[in-house]
């Protein structure tokens, strides 16, 4: 480890919480970026296939975003929602139109956690119930209410909760009691599980919240159509459907602009939450809901920083770039190439259990060779080997962090995809070599 990184690491450890996990045995500081590349404090360049946890959505140092931020910063940084905020109204109109939700209202926050927290406040108030359905292995944020609906125990540090949460099967296709079933049978079994869980609830249930593709949980998803089948049950009970699009929104999954659209015959959800990519690093989160749901609160509510002019200007410039350059189409095309390339490269590698995902949201699940046992050690080793060779990736998964998460900025080129895949192939081979 370079001295610069070692010294900063020691200061980090001394002053920040122990539970604030860092990647790599010798953590690195990222000092700047451009396009799909970043540089560390030693001047080493990396191809970035994680985008600061799916947040650098378009590109590092995108000139349009830099310009919008600089211009807005030169005018005014903050006024508060007590005054009319033109950039906020502009972006809200655009997000409302894009959401597919009829009669949509938008509330901006500063993070995905706060967006989900707001959705929970709305759902529980609207339905007069604190009972929430959530998916096993889910992640929805770090606040007291959102850890209470986070099924992934590695990220839910307390069992105390203001909510009564009922966990449902379905978010993980390839593990668990229904893994051996066909897609249609899997959906039938999950619907039966949902009905069964509802039979055990105390009267009214407020909402189901679900990530269309589980992010932190290791890029796992149900078969297309599961949430449409769930929707039929929910509608019978008047239960709201909240789609957590914090990772899956804005075209990341290639085929769809929103993750819920893989379950399209369900129609749009009652609420949609977003964050991460829209700001390209500026802190924007938010909720879109039908007006009737959004307006159910009977007291005032604000977010001091939510919708601040500078973040809204950045979000608008970023979204405009994304739409004008059809980055969703790019995610579909280049993501399709990348996943095929990774599948071919790992065929026969018995440390790789599955290569899955869609668009530029690709998971590689690692196991102890020839077994079904998750291998967090292999995931860490591949992460290190890839970093050494100049590629940044992420990891995730359920109780074991054994899935590599690959989620580059959506402007990834074919050449960069090829280059990253070649590095990954080599990194994955080192694990196989060691394990054999
Ligand atoms: N929801 C999902 C699906 C997420 O992946 C995350 C963060 O990783 C959140 C919510 C919380 O967002 P934030 O970290 O911006 O609070």
């Amino acid at each position: 480890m370079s001295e610069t990184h070692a010294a900063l690491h020691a200061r980090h450890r001394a002053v920040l919480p122990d539970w604030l996990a860092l990647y790599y045995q010798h953590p690195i500081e990222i000092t700047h970026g451009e396009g799909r590349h970043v540089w560390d404090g030693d001047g080493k360049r990396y191809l970035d296939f994680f985008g600061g946890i799916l947040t650098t959505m378009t590109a590092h140092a995108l000139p349009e975003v830099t310009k919008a931020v600089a211009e807005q910063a030169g005018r005014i940084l903050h006024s508060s929602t007590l005054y009319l905020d033109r950039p906020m109204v502009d972006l809200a109109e655009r997000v409302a139109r894009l959401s597919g939700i009829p009669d949509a209202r938008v509330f901006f926050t500063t993070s995905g956690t706060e967006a989900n927290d707001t959705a929970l406040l709305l759902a529980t108030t609207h339905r007069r119930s604190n009972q929430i359905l959530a998916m096993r292995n889910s992640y929805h944020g770090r606040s007291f209410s959102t850890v209470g609906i986070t099924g992934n125990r590695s990220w839910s540090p307390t069992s105390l909760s203001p909510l009564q949460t009922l966990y449902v099967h379905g978010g993980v296709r390839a593990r668990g009691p229904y893994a051996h079933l066909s897609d249609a049978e899997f959906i039938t079994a999950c619907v039966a599980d949902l009905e069964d869980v509802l039979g055990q609830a105390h009267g009214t249930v407020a909402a189901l919240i679900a990530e269309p593709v589980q992010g932190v949980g290791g890029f796992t998803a149900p078969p297309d159509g599961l949430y449409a089948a769930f929707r039929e049950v929910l509608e019978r009970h008047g239960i709201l459907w909240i789609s957590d699009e914090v990772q899956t929104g804005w075209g990341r999954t290639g085929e769809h602009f929103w993750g819920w659209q893989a379950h399209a015959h369900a129609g749009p959800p009652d609420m949609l939450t977003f964050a991460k990519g829209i700001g390209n690093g500026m802190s924007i989160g938010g909720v879109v809901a039908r007006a009737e749901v959004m307006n159910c609160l009977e007291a005032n509510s604000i977010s001091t920083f939510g919708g601040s002019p500078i973040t809204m200007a950045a979000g608008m410039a970023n979204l405009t770039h994304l739409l004008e350059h059809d980055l969703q189409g790019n995610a579909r095309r280049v993501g399709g190439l990348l996943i095929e390339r990774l599948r071919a490269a790992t065929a026969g590698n018995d440390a790789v259990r599955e290569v899955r995902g869609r668009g530029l949201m690709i998971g590689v699940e690692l196991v102890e060779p020839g077994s079904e046992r998750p291998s967090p050690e292999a995931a860490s080793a591949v992460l290190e080997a890839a970093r050494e060779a100049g590629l940044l990736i992420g990891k995730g998964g359920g109780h074991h962090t054994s899935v590599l998460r690959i989620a580059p900025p959506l402007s990834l080129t074919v050449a960069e995809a090829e280059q990253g895949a070649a590095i990954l192939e080599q990194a994955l081979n080192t694990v196989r070599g060691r394990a054999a």
Side-chain angles (χ1 to χ4, degrees):
M1 170 161 38
S2 80
E3 267 187 43
T4 349
H5 283 148
L8 188 58
H9 188 201
R11 288 170 55 204
H12 174 110
R13 283 275 172 248
V15 72
L16 296 169
D18 286 353
W19 39 260
L20 198 59
L22 287 160
Y23 272 173
Y24 308 118
Q25 204 183 351
H26 302 301
I28 54 170
E29 176 192 16
I30 293 178
T31 53
H32 60 288
E34 192 184 329
R36 275 73 48 198
H37 288 92
V38 292
W39 283 258
D40 74 12
D42 291 334
K44 180 173 163 121
R45 188 174 89 133
Y46 302 91
L47 193 50
D48 184 4
F49 272 21
F50 205 37
I53 324 181
L54 295 88
T55 299
T56 303
M57 172 169 75
T58 51
H60 288 282
L62 189 76
E64 295 96 307
V65 171
T66 309
K67 182 165 176 274
V69 168
E71 285 180 0
Q72 186 59 50
R75 282 194 292 273
I76 190 163
L77 283 176
H78 176 77
S79 63
S80 92
T81 47
L82 296 175
Y83 307 98
L84 289 169
D85 175 349
R86 188 174 298 276
M88 177 163 77
V89 175
D90 288 345
L91 190 59
E93 286 172 347
R94 197 146 195 202
V95 170
R97 262 198 313 278
L98 287 167
S99 73
I101 294 179
D103 196 17
R105 297 289 177 99
V106 183
F107 178 70
F108 287 108
T109 65
T110 57
S111 68
T113 296
E114 209 194 332
N116 283 334
D117 209 70
T118 308
L120 291 169
L121 177 67
L122 293 171
T124 53
T125 307
H126 191 258
R127 296 277 297 152
R128 303 267 157 219
S129 162
N130 75 334
Q131 292 189 97
I132 298 288
L133 295 159
M135 307 304 290
R136 293 172 183 220
N137 198 51
S138 55
Y139 180 82
H140 295 293
R142 57 158 299 281
S143 66
F144 190 51
S145 72
T146 55
V147 296
I149 52 160
T150 285
N152 190 329
R153 287 294 139 233
S154 323
W155 293 93
S156 184
T158 174
S159 60
L160 299 175
S161 175
L163 302 163
Q164 170 98 31
T165 306
L166 305 158
Y167 287 103
V168 183
H169 278 294
V172 180
R173 176 68 184 91
R175 283 195 183 267
Y178 305 148
H180 63 288
L181 300 177
S182 69
D183 281 358
E185 290 166 343
F186 183 94
I187 290 177
T188 304
C190 293
V191 168
D193 174 59
L194 172 63
E195 301 260 26
D196 185 55
V197 163
L198 283 174
Q200 296 169 31
H202 305 282
T204 307
V205 170
L208 166 81
I209 184 163
E211 304 155 84
V213 178
Q214 294 187 333
V216 173
F219 289 0
T220 66
D224 289 356
L226 176 84
Y227 292 114
F230 274 9
R231 185 80 201 259
E232 285 178 30
V233 178
L234 300 179
E235 270 181 352
R236 278 208 307 277
H237 296 266
I239 300 169
L240 302 173
W241 173 29
I242 306 167
S243 189
D244 179 339
E245 300 277 352
V246 167
Q247 296 212 7
T248 46
W250 320 109
R252 161 78 51 196
T253 62
E255 284 161 53
H256 308 106
F257 193 73
W258 303 110
W260 67 259
Q261 289 167 324
H263 312 265
H265 55 291
D270 299 290
M271 276 189 260
L272 173 162
T273 58
F274 60 87
K276 289 199 188 287
I278 174 73
N280 216 37
M282 294 296 276
S283 53
I284 306 177
V287 188
V288 191
R290 283 184 286 116
E292 169 221 352
V293 175
M294 182 66 88
N295 293 334
C296 75
L297 301 185
E298 285 175 5
N300 295 321
S301 190
I302 65 158
S303 164
T304 297
F305 294 120
S308 78
I310 193 158
T311 60
M312 298 292 102
M316 184 61 102
N318 196 36
L319 194 52
T320 301
H321 178 91
L322 176 104
L323 296 170
E324 285 181 354
H325 293 81
D326 185 24
L327 295 191
Q328 177 188 340
N330 193 62
R332 186 176 61 245
R333 286 185 297 277
V334 183
L337 285 175
L338 183 56
I339 199 165
E340 283 316 313
R341 178 83 167 69
L342 290 173
R343 283 198 174 125
T346 55
N349 184 337
D350 60 3
V352 176
R353 181 171 183 268
E354 190 181 31
V355 179
R356 57 179 176 243
R358 59 201 326 163
L360 284 169
M361 199 169 179
I362 301 172
V364 180
E365 185 177 337
L366 300 178
V367 285
E368 292 173 20
S371 80
E372 289 287 295
R373 285 189 298 278
S375 181
E377 297 78 17
S380 295
V382 174
L383 220 72
E384 292 285 355
R387 188 201 65 74
E388 192 60 40
L391 176 73
L392 301 184
I393 55 172
K395 54 183 177 168
H399 306 303
H400 306 279
T401 309
S402 57
V403 182
L404 306 177
R405 289 198 288 159
I406 296 156
L410 303 187
S411 56
L412 187 74
T413 66
V414 170
E416 289 162 346
E418 291 287 347
Q419 194 195 344
I423 295 177
L424 271 171
E425 180 174 1
Q426 276 185 1
L428 285 160
N429 280 339
T430 65
V431 180
R432 172 169 56 178
R434 197 179 307 170

